[in-house]
Amino acid sequence: MKDNDIATVGDLIAALADYDPATPVRMATESAVFMDHTVGRVVCVPGDPDNDCTLPNDAPVVRIGTGEAYCCLPDNAAAALGWS
């Protein structure tokens, strides 16, 4: 995990606290083509019941899904995220 990664719900809330609640939000994805997605469903499920990674099996984890692809991520957003 990178030093600036958001690891908890509290970290996410703190990261968003300075923004106007009416500001649109998108999930940016880093792949062959940088994309913006709407935010999809938010769920809380056990960490890793399949034992596929290092999360404790019974610890709840909040997961944020991506919604529909919105558009290509603008170059300035990719740069601000450190991807270019």
Side-chain angles (χ1 to χ4, degrees):
M1 186 176 303
K2 298 176 187 172
D3 289 339
N4 60 349
D5 282 353
I6 293 173
T8 67
V9 171
D11 292 344
L12 179 59
I13 291 168
L16 296 172
D18 291 337
Y19 299 102
D20 181 337
T23 302
V25 64
R26 301 285 181 267
M27 299 287 290
T29 58
E30 182 181 19
S31 60
V33 177
F34 300 145
M35 291 294 296
D36 263 351
H37 296 264
T38 59
V39 176
R41 295 184 64 188
V42 177
V43 298
C44 185
V45 297
D48 182 28
D50 302 327
N51 296 313
D52 294 350
C53 61
T54 60
L55 294 170
N57 293 343
D58 58 349
V61 176
V62 172
R63 290 189 167 82
I64 302 171
T66 55
E68 294 183 34
Y70 184 74
C71 65
C72 291
L73 187 67
D75 292 341
N76 62 347
L81 290 166
W83 296 347
S84 59

